[in-house]
Amino acid sequence: MSHELIALTMFSGMMLMLFTGQRVFGAIGFVGALAGLMLWGTGGVDVPFSAAMKLMKWYPMLTLPMFIFMGYVLSESRIADDLYKMFHVWMGPVRGGLAIGTIGLMVLISAMNGLSVAGMAIGATIALPELLKRNYDKIMVTGVIQAGSSLGILVPPSVVLVLYAMIARQPVGQLWLAGVVPGLLMATLFIIYIYIRCRLNPALGPALPKAERNVPLAEKLRLLRAGLLPLIIFATMMVPFVKGWTSLVESSAIGAMAAFVAAILKGRMTKEVFENSVRKTLGISCMFMFIILAALGFGAIFDGLGAVQAIENLFTEQMHLSPWAILILMQLSFILMGTFLDDTAMLVIVAPLYVPLVGELGFDLIWYGVLYTITTQIAYMTPPFGYNLFLMRAMAPPEIGLRDIYRSIVPFVLLMVLALSLVMIFPQIAMWLPGIVYGN
Amino acid sequence: QSTITWRMQTYAGPALAEHVIKPAIDMFNKIAGDRMQIELYFADQLVPTGELFRAMQRGTIDAVQSDDDSMASPTDVTVFGGYFPFASRYSLDVPVLFNQYGLNEIWDEEYSKVGVKHISAGAWDPCHFATKEPINSLADLQGKRVFTFPTAGRFMSQFGVVPVTIPWEDVEVAMQTGELDGIAWSGITEDYTVGWADVTNYFLTNNISGAWAGSFFANMDRWNELPEDLQTLFRVCCDQSHYYRQWWYWGGEASLRVDGSKLELTTIPDEEWAQVEAKAMEFWDEIATESEVKARVVEIIKKYNADMLKAGRPYRYS
Amino acid sequence: MPRLIRAYVRFVDGMNRLIGRCAMYGIFVLVGVLLWSSVSKTFFTPSMWTLETAQFVMVAYYILGGPYSIQMGSNVRMDLFYGGWTPVQKAWVDGFTAFFLLFYLGVLLYGGLGSFAYSLGYFGSEPVTFFKDLILAFVTGGPAGAGEQLGYLERSSTAWRPFLWPIKLMLTFGVFLMMLQIVAEFFRDIGRIRGVEL
Ligand code: NA
Ligand code: NA
């Protein structure tokens, strides 16, 4: 079998397996294991297991359960309720203000968890019912929550950027800082979009009625304090890390404990909240670890069979493209694959092919990490495969149908593509902050 | 007749492999042509370094370039691979120890017992500290988390160094994420080549070993299946690789100390460093008690160093 | 469904749930180790064992918690088509794809046994025979007899040098538990096709 044919067979085999609705790690693991057994030669059968030892030595993986735990503590204990009230009261008078406030809420939630799960849970359980009650357009707000929660993987801490950092061998601190401004840029684009649409068509997001706006100033100021909590948790974790007092994995443990302690102090850590956060953290962490385990095995076999070289050859030697054309082609293929393939698996399988090539083409790998993450955010929201879509379907109230969910994402995906292009054209958007903090 | 293909994994990442192995493998492939091709893979690419020995013994990987210590070979000679403290002063010491003082025979015996072919040993660079904070005395080593070899780490822990072992490719990032305070893995050439000079500030000129000892290995069955001329070609290319490293490191160490701009040099005074050397002699004796094979190797290293001292300049200046 | 199968499903569910729930609290062990790591680094000499210990805890956490996560239904699937099927249709397809998953887990298990045998000093390529002999030696000769079967015990290539067999045993055992769980899920699917909820 030629290298090209092996690459093609393995990829299409995996797609086929995924279409059966098989658990993602089973689909990837099976194709890898079968190829190892049939094509590798002596000892190919050992490669999937040796991936487990490789995964064990990937020490940044230790942050995964920590950031997931942080997110669940926040969403399960509802310590975000006050935060939501703050935005509600302060932004209510503006047309579309509650939707704009929800984006603000999502930015703060993103600063306290590494995935989009928590943002999604908080958005769907706290913000969505209130927005619908006040006659906000259901399609717009469904999109707001999905888009807003996807910021969780771009604004630090970010699990996706930790994974990328491991594969691209780039420093997590710089990658995280590089995600900050693009994350805020994207949030701003969302807000501008909501504001303009609601100005043009006030029925989409009516301002709060007078009666509800009548909140005494003292109360308004008191609510502002709620905004401090996420900032404190964020600082407890990030400052010692950026200053170099604690390492990445240690900081993640500090962050998890900070969220846990905050929930206890606020009196929200009931037995049920505790049980739910700990159990759900295990569920999601196991899912991630098994997918990565399977993908690492698949990747090593794919590589050892020469398929990686075949793909690199295709891009560099056979297609005669300029570096930018190759880069754009890669992003497009990521978006295309992201619509079908699990995002974590995509990172572990495809990034090892692309990242060295991106480096050889002379692009900055920190900057590329941000591009990659925005692409993943798009993948999170585009059908048929997307975590945020899954979560939205599971959490949305019954009046929001599947078609509403699909329609809701269109304008936000376009805004994300715009943000992606802006970061591509003006790399400084990403590189400015790490440059200032780390001085390079 | 179809082409023989081998998978070979090196302990080195791509940037370093460009010097320490790739030229030799390219040469091999060019000469062997359709008869045999070796596909080169880098650190942790197919299997993690910890599993490297097992993978080769089993035939998952056909050949390996590594030191015995970091791939944790299940042999009695493993502690002497990598940097056995103060065993050698110059990179030429290693081939002399192996070719003229009998280490080759011991290595061959030990690896044959565990089903692996030891093909050829060679020298790399000396072992220095590159750190974020300056090291001017032994006290400065206290509490530093340092990426180093298992045996070197075991030895240096008595001076308060906290040895950390992580995948080689993760070292640069671990320096930046605070997992590490320094690196005691190489000389200055490697610090610059692999990018470690960008994440550290100081280079300690004292070393704990003058040359790294590493080898080429192959799965026993795969090796025996090769026709004799290809075995010879493989050996020749290994020797070429050893030769390349002799001058590349030797020249690089000197010129980067003199002209390098990224690392500031510091030195622990000789009298103070003599304590470390004295402890190394105790460490040798301690290792020698562990087994009969280890005792034989330690004896050879002692004999060699005594001979060099007697030979005087330029072999030894003190 | 036959009594035996019902009993199997109940037993495996119960066992994996219990093991998974113990593993679940491993997150606090992990937090503890990492916090100790930062405390000891700040106030005393940093510890040599923290990073590796944390890695071992993480392995236990996810590999022993895996079957329980299957019970919770945490594992994502691409549901482009799957999402639209009825429970019985899903059960039919899952009944078939279970074998693909079991194949993968079987390869993992075989690799795990080989690696575990190696960590006990067995250098051959027949790990199953090795374990058979080991167990036989234990039965006939007790711990001393089993000890004679062992060779060079593999240690981690770090300065701390912990033995690796416990972690490899745990990984292999975790994969085995996962296989038991998938078989239980398979029976559940068969039950669903026949209109029985197991
Ligand atoms: Na985040
Ligand atoms: Na998608």
Side-chain angles (χ1 to χ4, degrees):
Chain A
M1 252 173 138
S2 77
H3 295 329
E4 286 80 6
L5 194 59
I6 289 175
L8 191 71
T9 314
M10 285 182 75
F11 253 104
S12 45
M14 185 168 63
M15 289 292 186
L16 197 69
M17 285 282 122
L18 286 169
F19 277 118
T20 64
Q22 160 82 293
R23 289 174 187 85
V24 168
F25 82 92
I28 298 169
F30 169 74
V31 175
L34 189 67
L37 223 58
M38 290 177 58
L39 303 172
W40 184 284
T42 318
V45 66
D46 287 350
V47 182
F49 182 81
S50 81
M53 300 309 287
K54 195 189 266 186
L55 183 55
M56 181 174 88
K57 293 283 173 185
W58 265 18
Y59 70 90
M61 286 317 296
L62 298 172
T63 61
L64 185 85
M66 299 297 146
F67 292 141
I68 293 172
F69 183 66
M70 250 175 118
Y72 274 121
V73 168
L74 290 172
S75 59
E76 293 290 322
S77 68
R78 303 184 67 104
I79 46 178
D81 284 17
D82 291 346
L83 217 54
Y84 175 74
K85 268 188 221 129
M86 175 187 87
F87 281 109
H88 189 118
V89 167
W90 281 87
M91 300 300 294
V94 184
R95 274 187 202 158
L98 291 187
I100 293 173
T102 303
I103 295 287
L105 173 71
M106 290 300 168
V107 172
L108 287 185
I109 304 283
S110 296
M112 294 182 291
N113 84 97
L115 289 170
S116 58
V117 190
M120 203 64 186
I122 292 166
T125 54
I126 305 176
L128 196 58
E130 297 287 325
L131 288 163
L132 293 175
K133 211 160 70 192
R134 289 181 178 75
N135 292 320
Y136 270 63
D137 179 59
K138 66 175 178 181
I139 292 182
M140 184 181 77
V141 297
T142 309
V144 164
I145 286 163
Q146 291 187 78
S149 64
S150 79
L151 292 172
I153 61 168
L154 186 57
V155 174
S158 156
V159 167
V160 171
L161 279 172
V162 170
L163 270 174
Y164 175 86
M166 273 189 288
I167 290 164
R169 315 279 182 182
Q170 295 296 311
V172 178
Q174 297 209 18
L175 278 164
W176 277 0
L177 289 177
V180 173
V181 178
L184 296 178
L185 167 76
M186 214 181 282
T188 314
L189 289 178
F190 296 159
I191 288 172
I192 293 173
Y193 165 77
I194 297 167
Y195 183 77
I196 292 177
R197 286 228 35 206
C198 292
R199 276 221 80 90
L200 296 177
N201 182 1
L204 291 176
L208 278 192
K210 264 253 153 59
E212 260 196 88
R213 269 192 264 162
N214 234 340
V215 181
L217 187 66
E219 173 68 7
K220 276 181 137 178
L221 289 176
R222 194 193 67 79
L223 279 170
L224 213 48
R225 284 212 323 248
L228 282 177
L229 182 72
L231 294 182
I232 292 170
I233 294 179
F234 184 71
T236 320
M237 177 178 59
M238 286 301 280
V239 171
F241 172 56
V242 171
K243 286 278 176 194
W245 300 329
T246 56
S247 69
L248 170 70
V249 293
E250 291 162 358
S251 305
S252 70
I254 293 172
M257 274 306 98
F260 188 60
V261 169
I264 292 174
L265 292 181
K266 285 223 145 200
R268 298 279 174 74
M269 191 41 80
T270 61
K271 224 178 137 188
E272 195 194 346
V273 168
F274 178 76
E275 156 73 21
N276 280 340
S277 356
V278 177
R279 196 187 62 233
K280 289 181 180 177
T281 302
L282 178 81
I284 295 275
S285 302
C286 287
M287 174 199 82
F288 269 102
M289 293 302 280
F290 273 93
I291 289 178
I292 297 170
L293 173 67
L296 278 177
F298 180 97
I301 289 165
F302 197 69
D303 201 354
L305 294 176
V308 170
Q309 282 160 309
I311 292 186
E312 292 201 354
N313 269 345
L314 181 76
F315 272 121
T316 51
E317 280 165 34
Q318 294 178 12
M319 291 170 73
H320 300 290
L321 295 169
S322 74
W324 275 96
I326 294 178
L327 191 81
I328 290 169
L329 207 63
M330 281 179 183
Q331 292 312 106
L332 285 177
S333 72
F334 261 138
I335 292 182
L336 192 71
M337 275 187 279
T339 59
F340 293 99
L341 202 58
D342 168 79
D343 316 282
T344 315
M346 184 170 78
L347 181 61
V348 180
I349 292 170
V350 185
L353 304 180
Y354 283 6
V355 168
L357 197 55
V358 171
E360 277 167 38
L361 294 173
F363 294 109
D364 186 288
L365 286 178
I366 304 242
W367 169 73
Y368 186 70
V370 174
L371 295 189
Y372 173 77
T373 308
I374 299 176
T375 316
T376 307
Q377 278 180 282
I378 297 172
Y380 266 34
M381 291 173 57
T382 46
F385 199 106
Y387 282 119
N388 285 13
L389 286 172
F390 288 143
L391 293 167
M392 198 68 201
R393 245 172 291 170
M395 292 173 187
E399 65 258 45
I400 296 177
L402 199 60
R403 288 194 45 189
D404 299 329
I405 296 178
Y406 284 180
R407 271 175 60 197
S408 71
I409 59 153
V410 175
F412 292 98
V413 166
L414 292 176
L415 288 172
M416 287 176 170
V417 173
L418 174 65
L420 182 67
S421 324
L422 285 175
V423 178
M424 280 173 95
I425 301 167
F426 307 105
Q428 277 310 309
I429 298 173
M431 304 309 288
W432 171 76
L433 190 60
I436 286 193
V437 174
Y438 288 100
N440 54 345
Chain B
Q1 201 187 340
S2 68
T3 311
I4 303 169
T5 53
W6 269 19
R7 295 186 186 93
M8 175 179 211
Q9 186 168 309
T10 167
Y11 77 99
L16 183 61
E18 203 57 51
H19 293 280
V20 299
I21 175 81
K22 200 162 174 301
I25 297 303
D26 286 347
M27 218 174 272
F28 182 94
N29 287 341
K30 198 185 268 179
I31 300 170
D34 286 342
R35 295 187 59 210
M36 181 167 171
Q37 289 289 301
I38 298 175
E39 288 157 9
L40 180 64
Y41 294 92
F42 307 115
D44 293 294
Q45 199 173 347
L46 297 183
V47 296
T49 301
E51 299 290 293
L52 205 50
F53 182 86
R54 162 72 184 158
M56 169 170 57
Q57 187 193 46
R58 178 85 164 81
T60 310
I61 306 264
D62 305 295
V64 160
Q65 178 197 38
S66 176
D67 65 289
D68 323 68
D69 201 20
S70 41
M71 75 169 171
S73 306
T75 69
D76 266 350
V77 295
T78 299
V79 285
F80 303 105
Y83 294 117
F84 190 60
F86 296 97
S88 51
R89 184 166 296 186
Y90 307 116
S91 53
L92 274 173
D93 294 346
V94 174
V96 176
L97 275 163
F98 273 85
N99 296 319
Q100 294 184 335
Y101 278 71
L103 292 192
N104 268 343
E105 289 69 23
I106 299 179
W107 256 246
D108 188 61
E109 223 172 90
E110 290 301 305
Y111 277 95
S112 299
K113 278 187 210 160
V114 293
V116 159
K117 177 71 192 170
H118 178 256
I119 297 166
S120 158
W124 270 248
D125 48 345
C127 182
H128 292 266
F129 284 81
T131 47
K132 273 187 197 150
E133 306 293 329
I135 307 290
N136 289 303
S137 69
L138 286 178
D140 291 337
L141 288 173
Q142 201 67 34
K144 292 277 183 292
R145 300 210 280 191
V146 172
F147 173 66
T148 188
F149 288 85
T151 303
R154 222 168 112 193
F155 171 66
M156 285 310 288
S157 61
Q158 58 187 311
F159 300 99
V161 170
V162 181
V164 179
T165 307
I166 52 173
W168 189 90
E169 283 277 47
D170 291 334
V171 170
E172 187 177 348
V173 172
M175 285 297 306
Q176 287 161 298
T177 57
E179 248 73 37
L180 294 173
D181 304 311
I183 301 163
W185 184 272
S186 64
I188 198 165
T189 321
E190 219 165 282
D191 291 334
Y192 274 77
T193 309
V194 305
W196 295 341
D198 299 324
V199 293
T200 52
N201 304 313
Y202 296 93
F203 179 82
L204 181 67
T205 58
N206 312 70
N207 69 48
I208 57 174
S209 169
W212 190 75
S215 299
F216 290 94
F217 303 93
N219 174 281
M220 193 59 96
D221 293 338
R222 291 298 93 70
W223 177 259
N224 290 334
E225 283 160 22
L226 284 192
E228 212 188 326
D229 62 332
L230 285 179
Q231 286 184 351
T232 308
L233 176 61
F234 193 88
R235 285 184 185 284
V236 168
C237 290
C238 290
D239 283 342
Q240 195 284 333
S241 167
H242 294 322
Y243 172 67
Y244 182 110
R245 270 178 277 107
Q246 284 286 352
W247 59 259
W248 185 66
Y249 278 120
W250 184 257
E253 295 299 301
S255 84
L256 286 169
R257 281 185 185 209
V258 177
D259 300 321
S261 56
K262 293 179 180 173
L263 296 175
E264 195 178 311
L265 306 185
T266 66
T267 302
I268 296 178
D270 285 345
E271 316 78 69
E272 200 178 345
W273 195 248
Q275 292 175 38
V276 182
E277 241 171 299
K279 286 282 180 195
M281 303 305 116
E282 287 173 28
F283 187 70
W284 288 8
D285 291 333
E286 192 187 310
I287 295 289
T289 61
E290 287 176 5
S291 81
E292 189 254 331
V293 174
K294 288 180 187 177
R296 263 164 72 201
V297 177
V298 167
E299 200 185 320
I300 289 175
I301 293 174
K302 278 186 175 169
K303 166 95 170 78
Y304 175 74
N305 280 287
D307 286 357
M308 290 293 115
L309 206 59
K310 273 186 220 152
R313 297 175 183 196
Y315 297 96
R316 294 291 185 265
Y317 286 82
S318 57
Chain C
M1 298 295 279
R3 282 248 303 276
L4 197 65
I5 288 184
R6 282 173 190 274
Y8 170 85
V9 172
R10 210 173 322 120
F11 173 73
V12 169
D13 274 357
M15 176 178 65
N16 278 338
R17 191 183 129 84
L18 183 71
I19 294 174
R21 288 195 62 87
C22 293
M24 183 173 94
Y25 296 105
I27 189 160
F28 294 104
V29 181
L30 195 55
V31 168
V33 172
L34 294 176
L35 288 184
W36 172 251
S37 168
S38 43
V39 169
S40 70
K41 183 166 112 180
T42 316
F43 299 105
F44 328 97
T45 306
S47 317
M48 202 146 82
W49 52 269
T50 48
L51 191 62
E52 228 176 349
T53 304
Q55 289 170 337
F56 293 158
V57 174
M58 180 73 187
V59 168
Y61 181 71
Y62 88 88
I63 205 81
L64 298 179
Y68 184 44
S69 83
I70 295 276
Q71 290 179 14
M72 288 191 273
S74 314
N75 290 77
V76 286
R77 307 155 178 270
M78 186 169 106
D79 59 355
L80 175 59
F81 304 123
Y82 191 86
W85 297 336
T86 66
V88 173
Q89 283 171 322
K90 283 181 184 171
W92 268 104
V93 177
D94 284 347
F96 282 104
T97 55
F99 289 95
F100 294 114
L101 185 50
L102 283 173
F103 174 83
Y104 170 54
L105 292 170
V107 170
L108 272 182
L109 182 72
Y110 184 76
L113 283 175
S115 192
F116 177 41
Y118 174 81
S119 72
L120 295 175
Y122 172 74
F123 297 157
S125 54
E126 306 284 337
V128 179
T129 319
F130 167 74
F131 285 113
K132 225 168 21 195
D133 293 347
L134 187 66
I135 292 166
L136 205 69
F138 183 76
V139 172
T140 54
E148 272 173 33
Q149 296 285 317
L150 303 181
Y152 192 101
L153 296 184
E154 186 189 11
R155 283 166 176 269
S156 172
S157 62
T158 59
W160 185 41
R161 303 200 316 141
F163 288 112
L164 281 179
W165 65 263
I167 201 75
K168 290 187 169 175
L169 172 63
M170 186 157 57
L171 272 164
T172 313
F173 181 62
V175 171
F176 178 66
L177 289 180
M178 194 66 149
M179 292 181 83
L180 292 182
Q181 187 65 44
I182 299 302
V183 171
E185 299 296 317
F186 172 74
F187 287 141
R188 225 189 300 277
D189 286 329
I190 301 291
R192 208 160 284 151
I193 292 168
R194 302 171 69 179
V196 194
E197 217 39 63
L198 285 181

